[in-house]
Amino acid sequence: MADTLTITDNRTGKSYEIDVTDETVRGLDLRQIKVEEDDFGLMVYDPGYTNTASCRSAITYIDGEAGVLQHRGYPIEELCEKSSYLEVAYLLVFGELPTGPQLERWVYDVTHHTFVHEDMKAFYRGFRHDAHPMGILLAGVGAMSTFYPDGKQIEDEEERYMAAIRLIAKMPTLAAFSYRHSLGLPYVYPDNDLGYAANFLAMMRRMTEIKYAPDERLAKALDVLFILHADHEQNCSTAAVRAVGSSQVDPYSAVAAGVAALYGPLHGGANEAVLRMLRRIEKVENVPDFLEGVKSREEKLMGFGHRVYKNYDPRARIIKKHVDEVLALTGDNPLLDIATELEKRALEDEYFTSRRLYPNVDYYSGLIYEALGIPSEMFTVIFAIPRTSGWIAQWMEMHGDSEQRIARPRQIYTGERDRTYVDVADREGPEKITGPPARRPVRARRGA
Ligand code: ACO
């Protein structure tokens, strides 16, 4: 028997049989459900898309109930243990782990596209010295579409490959330049002798050294963090890349939309917020008070909770292991004690367990970044580096999916209709607006 759903519309008494495929009904199948023949038909109201599948995807599998994450079928734990970030990036984009020669070619191509056009430096110089590096990165990625106009040829497989290579290769360079700009330091060019993560650390840190090679163990820890952040199916930024990409804009512009989405504190900005929260808590003894504040909804426990995971985020488990390793090399961080106590108490508290709130990937990642000497404004930027491979893989998948159309949700209109236009002189309201003009933010007032 075919899987179907029978719906009876109690407004009309009519019954409808709707196909169920992959435990999903097609939204458009509901449109036949009408009271009057000229009705629009039934729609689904789903703010935040909490129960809407927007695509079919074979890239990342998540079982949020069980805390499982797999890329192209491989468990994240195994990828972190055995693969490099670039290998995982290849896996995401092409669907298979690369053979030796394929990996060699991929690494060569990425390594030989890490330089950015010199004009990009001039573009970066236009930003205020204290501009947030994520704002700079966002603009830089958007600007790439003007540096590589051939990216617009999205039907050309070679151009799509080049866009993937360029985005993955140049993202660390743009990210490091954003950081150096915010410190007023000269930009450091990529070093082809270094691996992907080590090269990024070198571009952030190098000063007068002729050759700068970061500690291999720290570079490895960063590479694991890159793997952990590479893709996470239809999250806010990936959905943004797909939605913007569905207009058939070039991939650089689509990925810039992903960077913009990631900038938000509820998405990529969460680890920065976790460190701010831990600093505010100040000492372990203040943890119970802070948790009371969360329960009375005066505070939010940043780094906890996830739309999909209703169990321990498997990425948080892997990161937690690496926190200790990295801190053993770089020295203790008192914030770790606060974080550990906060997690322990929250996991014992019915308020959090009943809402199935567990640490997510961002709970511990900020502590590692801080130990690596990376300032908190850079955390989101560092998230964007590996997520680029996920964005581009999802963009490519969308491109090859004949069912995809331009993203264009519906709405339930709640405003007025058919009003009579009134000329400005005849509109009702106070004769004069008194009081000071709206205050501009302090930062905006400082500049010219
Ligand atoms: N602290 C306190 N309470 C929380 C938290 C939190 N971090 N997260 C959710 N809750 C509570 C909500 O208040 C709600 O309680 P209620 O039912 O009594 O009103 C309940 O848990 C369900 O939460 P929702 O907001 O419905 O969950 P949603 O799926 O919409 O939000 C989100 C998920 C945005 C991640 C949320 O948990 C959150 O804001 N967490 C903190 C920010 C964060 O760490 N973001 C990183 C996510 S991972 C990533 O983007 C890489």
Side-chain angles (χ1 to χ4, degrees):
M1 199 178 77
D3 285 339
T4 58
L5 180 74
T6 303
I7 299 178
T8 304
D9 186 347
N10 293 326
R11 299 171 303 172
T12 58
K14 276 197 213 158
S15 280
Y16 302 84
E17 197 164 303
I18 309 252
D19 286 339
V20 177
T21 315
D22 299 324
E23 297 213 53
T24 309
V25 294
R26 283 187 174 262
L28 265 186
D29 282 354
L30 301 178
R31 284 273 284 282
Q32 57 181 306
I33 303 178
K34 300 177 176 184
V35 175
E36 304 292 343
E37 201 36 52
D38 54 357
D39 281 355
F40 185 76
L42 215 61
M43 291 192 299
V44 176
Y45 178 56
D46 188 10
Y49 310 124
T50 50
N51 196 36
T52 296
S54 61
C55 60
R56 291 175 172 277
S57 181
I59 300 174
T60 292
Y61 171 76
I62 300 175
D63 180 342
E65 294 293 319
V68 169
L69 170 62
Q70 299 184 348
H71 294 312
R72 302 286 190 184
Y74 295 101
I76 188 69
E77 292 79 5
E78 218 174 334
L79 292 173
C80 284
E81 207 184 305
K82 298 180 181 161
S83 271
S84 66
Y85 165 68
L86 281 186
E87 214 174 335
V88 173
Y90 184 100
L91 173 70
L92 292 172
V93 171
F94 296 107
E96 294 295 339
L97 284 167
T99 60
Q102 283 170 332
L103 181 61
E104 202 179 312
R105 174 67 195 267
W106 174 248
V107 172
Y108 180 92
D109 283 351
V110 170
T111 310
H112 287 81
H113 284 87
T114 48
F115 276 65
V116 294
H117 196 289
E118 282 293 291
D119 287 352
M120 187 64 95
K121 286 183 5 191
F123 177 59
Y124 266 39
R125 278 195 207 104
F127 286 96
R128 280 178 65 106
H129 67 282
D130 58 354
H132 195 292
M134 191 63 167
I136 304 181
L137 181 72
L138 169 57
V141 176
M144 277 177 80
S145 78
T146 66
F147 285 92
Y148 306 104
D150 289 347
K152 290 184 177 26
Q153 294 165 32
I154 57 173
E155 299 304 328
D156 184 328
E157 194 181 338
E158 181 64 17
E159 287 302 336
R160 289 202 300 274
Y161 179 77
M162 283 316 299
I165 289 287
R166 285 197 182 109
L167 278 159
I168 293 170
K170 294 182 201 307
M171 199 61 94
T173 315
L174 291 179
F177 281 17
S178 308
Y179 170 65
R180 303 284 292 203
H181 181 89
S182 64
L183 293 181
L185 292 172
Y187 306 137
V188 175
Y189 288 115
D191 180 345
N192 285 2
D193 293 339
L194 297 174
Y196 191 81
N199 175 49
F200 173 64
L201 284 174
M203 288 190 290
M204 297 253 301
R205 295 262 184 74
R206 189 164 144 203
M207 294 303 292
T208 56
E209 303 88 343
I210 308 245
K211 197 88 187 155
Y212 181 99
D215 187 304
E216 269 176 32
R217 292 161 301 178
L218 296 182
K220 173 70 195 155
L222 184 61
D223 201 65
V224 170
L225 280 166
F226 281 174
I227 296 176
L228 288 173
H229 286 86
D231 191 56
H232 212 234
E233 52 121 303
Q234 307 311 313
N235 53 81
C236 178
S237 57
T238 302
V241 171
R242 278 183 175 260
V244 171
S246 75
S247 74
Q248 301 200 345
V249 72
D250 66 87
Y252 305 103
S253 303
V255 167
V259 178
L262 200 61
Y263 203 172
L266 293 189
H267 191 10
N271 49 13
E272 192 176 340
V274 170
L275 279 198
R276 276 200 303 273
M277 173 188 78
L278 296 176
R279 285 207 183 89
R280 235 165 10 93
I281 297 175
E282 219 181 320
K283 43 190 184 200
V284 170
E285 297 82 75
N286 294 340
V287 164
D289 265 3
F290 178 81
L291 283 178
E292 284 313 308
V294 175
K295 285 152 75 170
S296 57
R297 295 176 188 268
E298 288 152 29
E299 303 274 3
K300 194 162 206 178
L301 180 45
M302 296 310 287
F304 259 64
H306 199 276
R307 173 60 61 78
V308 177
Y309 293 118
K310 301 302 169 196
N311 200 325
Y312 214 101
D313 180 340
R315 301 168 301 172
R317 217 185 283 283
I318 297 169
I319 289 190
K320 207 173 162 186
K321 271 201 297 196
H322 285 275
V323 175
D324 294 335
E325 277 168 33
V326 170
L327 290 188
L329 290 169
T330 59
D332 282 345
N333 185 341
L335 295 183
L336 178 61
D337 297 334
I338 302 176
T340 309
E341 180 68 11
L342 194 57
E343 180 193 341
K344 182 172 156 283
R345 284 188 180 255
L347 294 183
E348 287 166 0
D349 193 314
E350 197 268 339
Y351 181 91
F352 298 95
T353 50
S354 65
R355 287 172 176 75
R356 309 184 69 189
L357 299 173
Y358 294 89
N360 60 48
V361 67
D362 282 328
Y363 191 65
Y364 285 108
S365 62
L367 284 167
I368 297 198
Y369 293 143
E370 194 169 71
L372 293 175
I374 296 169
S376 53
E377 308 80 63
M378 277 298 286
F379 292 177
T380 329
V381 172
I382 293 183
F383 191 159
I385 295 173
R387 185 51 61 89
T388 299
S389 59
W391 289 330
I392 202 77
Q394 299 268 354
W395 175 81
M396 282 188 172
E397 184 176 63
M398 179 192 70
H399 184 80
D401 181 349
S402 58
E403 279 204 307
Q404 288 297 323
R405 302 166 67 189
I406 187 164
R408 205 308 185 180
R410 296 282 175 181
Q411 64 166 10
I412 302 170
Y413 179 69
T414 59
E416 297 193 48
R417 293 183 58 188
D418 302 329
R419 298 172 81 183
T420 308
Y421 188 86
V422 181
D423 284 334
V424 66
D426 301 327
R427 289 174 207 158
E428 286 182 11
E431 294 260 304
K432 198 169 177 204
I433 308 282
T434 51
R439 288 185 67 185
R440 293 162 66 202
V442 176
R443 272 178 57 84
R445 270 188 281 141
R446 271 194 288 139

